[in-house]
Amino acid sequence: MLNADWKHFKSGTDIRGVASAGAPDGQPIDLTDETIEKMTAGFVLWLAAKTGTAPQNQTVSVGHDSRISAARIEAAVLRALTGAGCRVLRCGLASTPSMFMTTVDLGCTGAVQITASHHPFFRNGLKFFTREGGLEGSEIEQILEHAQNGDTPPALQGTSETVDYMAQYSARLRKMIQDGVKAADYAHPLTGFHIVVDAGNGAGGFYAKDVLEPLGADVTGSQFLEPDGMFPNHIPNPENEEAMKSVCAAVMQSHADLGVIFDTDVDRGGAVDHRGREINRNRLVALASAIALENAPGGTVVTDSVTSDGLKTYIEDVLGGKQRRFKRGYKNVIDEALRLNKAGVDCPLAIETSGHAAMRENYFLDDGAYLVTKIIIKTAVLRRQGKALEDLFAALPEPEEAAEVRLPILAEDFRTAGEAVLESLRNCAAHQPHWHLVPDNCEGVRISFDERAGDGWALLRLSVHDPILPLNMESNIAGGAAMIASQLYVNLRTHTDIDASPLETFIAND
């Protein structure tokens, strides 16, 4: 069992902690060199047991995003790996998806990516891969148990070499576009296209310089391509409102045909159409579904739980596919897609509204650059047909209002307290004449409200990682979200284990 000192490093299927000074409330650095070395040694032991490959026969790739703590943590990881006899491939600044691909293209036994995704500059962490994909939460616990117990492989002398794998990864994406667009000028299929890239000062600047420009695209107006681990311009996160406003403005100012945006380590992406309108969340899911189902007619798309009612209508009635609405968390939707395919269900796509998208044709790897590449190919093909990208999801029914309110859980045992709140709301909903419990939801409590109660839906669930109850609401009428929130507040305000004041504020300000 993990004690509290080690358990707090587990963040779903990743390891995360404080790696640099500057954290609020003076949080101390807990991702120390010693801690990182112990975790890496734990990975070596876990990898040996998982693959049957002794440490001295393991080849492990190591990459990192642009965070200011990357060099220090990389050095600690390298010491642990070479000290166990491993052959190490140093990939330097790299995207998280590319590190998985080293297990495919370079035959690596395992891979380590140093990143904390979109989290603040003072945090960092570790993601691990094998040829089978990212690790499960239980496997992260096994690695941390090794670290906690001080387990280490026998001391041997390994080797370390620098590899420019990102060049190979970029070449693969370029060839995808060349083969997918099938332009008369095969080498320059994006000639005449103006595409703005926003990398948020993370690891995604390569996409403009090494993927798009060599194919003939005009990338003027692209922004924040240079890595800067302090993220001085905006949070590198396609879900962040400020980030999306920034890239939308850049598209409009540059009169570009398309804009794309990545998170710090490029496992998520979003897009912007030529009018400066966001293509993220439900629109991104709709677009990715339309692309994926072209080669899998009638197939099933796995999404997270917070997708809109309109998206289900679009996937099933417009595209002719099926939607499997599943639990929030990118690994959850990916694992469900893998399970469905294994059971004989044709499932080409697993996607979260956060921008994590994993396609079966790409090893079910959540790769923002791969998704954006598929979108660019589709844009070019549609242009030849005299159509625009937004025509593809024009039939997506969209709500009049959408909102998210996050309710803190005050109890120390936040999961038990949160489940009690959910059960109370579930019982309440069963007795309301204009509320209807949605039967096919896989987490939390999803309620449909008829026209007399707000004409929309709400989902209250437990956060994947934090002591929070996120409440997502959508309505088809103006003022409907506040109407739905007011009804839910009658129940939620009675619970002393949660702070309902954010909901009060939302109702008052809406």
Side-chain angles (χ1 to χ4, degrees):
M1 293 288 291
L2 288 172
N3 61 39
D5 290 339
W6 289 93
K7 187 175 183 179
H8 82 278
F9 287 116
K10 181 178 178 290
S11 179
T13 56
D14 303 337
I15 287 173
R16 288 180 184 159
V18 178
S20 305
D25 304 322
Q27 296 176 48
I29 294 173
D30 53 14
L31 278 179
T32 63
D33 289 3
E34 179 184 5
T35 300
I36 291 292
E37 290 183 43
K38 287 183 177 180
M39 292 171 175
T40 307
F43 175 61
V44 172
L45 291 171
W46 175 88
L47 191 60
K50 174 75 173 180
T51 65
T53 307
Q56 63 269 29
N57 295 323
Q58 293 177 9
T59 298
V60 180
S61 60
V62 179
H64 59 79
D65 68 19
S66 60
R67 292 170 188 278
I68 59 175
S69 56
R72 176 182 68 82
I73 293 178
E74 180 193 42
V77 170
L78 291 176
R79 284 194 298 272
L81 290 174
T82 56
C86 300
R87 175 189 178 220
V88 182
L89 305 183
R90 297 177 57 189
C91 297
L93 183 70
S95 71
T96 290
S98 74
M99 296 312 297
F100 163 78
M101 289 303 299
T102 63
T103 69
V104 177
D105 292 337
L106 305 183
C108 291
T109 321
V112 182
Q113 171 73 344
I114 301 164
T115 184
S117 188
H118 62 281
H119 284 251
F121 74 91
F122 55 82
R123 291 183 68 79
N124 213 331
L126 302 172
K127 289 187 177 183
F128 303 106
F129 296 96
T130 69
R131 179 62 177 77
E132 296 178 5
L135 275 59
E136 301 290 343
S138 59
E139 294 171 321
I140 294 295
E141 289 180 5
Q142 293 171 31
I143 290 171
L144 289 173
E145 284 177 2
H146 281 308
Q148 173 182 279
N149 298 336
D151 302 335
T152 58
L156 296 167
Q157 186 54 53
T159 62
S160 173
E161 59 191 274
T162 300
V163 175
D164 184 11
Y165 177 69
M166 285 303 293
Q168 184 174 341
Y169 176 79
S170 298
R172 174 175 176 253
L173 295 177
R174 291 197 303 270
K175 190 172 189 305
M176 272 183 63
I177 295 173
Q178 290 167 331
D179 291 345
V181 175
K182 297 180 176 65
D185 183 355
Y186 176 83
H188 304 99
L190 298 182
T191 299
F193 280 89
H194 188 174
I195 303 173
V196 164
V197 178
D198 185 328
N201 300 115
F206 77 93
Y207 197 79
K209 301 172 183 177
D210 300 330
V211 178
L212 299 182
E213 271 195 318
L215 298 180
D218 178 359
V219 296
T220 56
S222 293
Q223 57 186 17
F224 318 138
L225 303 182
E226 297 304 318
D228 186 334
M230 293 299 292
F231 312 123
N233 293 291
H234 61 64
I235 297 171
N237 181 1
E239 279 194 296
N240 180 263
E241 184 178 355
E242 179 189 359
M244 289 307 300
K245 283 182 178 178
S246 180
V247 69
C248 287
V251 169
M252 294 298 289
Q253 185 175 354
S254 302
H255 304 288
D257 301 308
L258 184 71
V260 298
I261 182 171
F262 299 115
D263 73 342
T264 318
D265 61 329
V266 203
D267 61 358
R268 290 187 294 144
V272 179
D273 69 21
H274 72 280
R275 295 176 296 179
R277 193 171 79 149
E278 298 177 13
I279 305 175
N280 64 354
R281 300 185 63 80
N282 287 300
R283 290 176 192 162
L284 186 67
V285 178
L287 178 55
S289 298
I291 292 171
L293 291 175
E294 284 183 343
N295 296 318
T300 296
V301 174
V302 179
T303 74
D304 61 357
S305 60
V306 302
T307 53
S308 69
D309 291 343
L311 182 67
K312 185 176 182 67
T313 299
Y314 178 79
I315 290 174
E316 299 193 348
D317 296 347
V318 177
L319 299 180
K322 298 181 181 66
Q323 182 190 14
R324 167 63 166 157
R325 190 186 286 136
F326 200 60
K327 299 175 184 176
R328 183 80 164 166
Y330 73 92
K331 197 70 170 66
N332 289 329
V333 297
I334 290 173
D335 285 349
E336 178 66 1
L338 290 168
R339 184 192 70 80
L340 289 174
N341 277 289
K342 190 175 181 179
V345 177
D346 185 12
C347 177
L349 174 67
I351 183 167
E352 254 203 325
T353 48
S354 66
H356 282 285
M359 306 188 82
R360 180 174 57 197
E361 67 185 52
N362 190 40
Y363 309 95
F364 272 119
L365 171 66
D366 53 320
D367 186 341
Y370 191 92
L371 174 65
V372 162
T373 298
K374 296 288 287 189
I375 290 172
I376 289 171
I377 293 169
K378 191 62 182 176
T379 302
V381 171
L382 286 170
R383 174 179 282 192
R384 268 206 309 266
Q385 300 170 355
K387 300 176 182 177
L389 186 64
E390 54 267 29
D391 294 337
L392 207 58
F393 54 91
L396 171 68
E398 300 200 68
E400 181 72 21
E401 297 180 341
E404 179 178 273
V405 179
R406 297 171 69 82
L407 307 177
I409 303 174
L410 307 176
E412 183 175 352
D413 184 358
F414 68 88
R415 295 211 170 272
T416 299
E419 290 292 353
V421 174
L422 294 175
E423 184 60 24
S424 171
L425 183 61
R426 189 176 291 111
N427 291 333
C428 175
H431 296 90
Q432 302 302 314
H434 305 301
W435 299 15
H436 310 281
L437 284 167
V438 177
D440 62 345
N441 205 63
C442 290
E443 68 175 338
V445 180
R446 187 174 178 122
I447 302 167
S448 177
F449 296 82
D450 66 26
E451 294 180 356
R452 288 164 291 184
D455 192 12
W457 61 270
L459 170 67
L460 186 70
R461 62 181 178 84
L462 267 167
S463 170
V464 177
H465 307 304
D466 303 316
I468 296 287
L469 284 166
L471 172 63
N472 293 88
M473 298 170 287
E474 289 188 2
S475 172
N476 298 315
I477 58 175
M483 187 185 303
I484 290 170
S486 297
Q487 295 170 82
L488 295 173
Y489 178 68
V490 174
N491 175 273
L492 297 176
R493 69 181 179 183
T494 66
H495 297 278
T496 58
D497 282 340
I498 65 172
D499 176 7
S501 62
L503 192 56
E504 294 176 18
T505 302
F506 172 79
I507 295 168
N509 293 338
D510 195 66

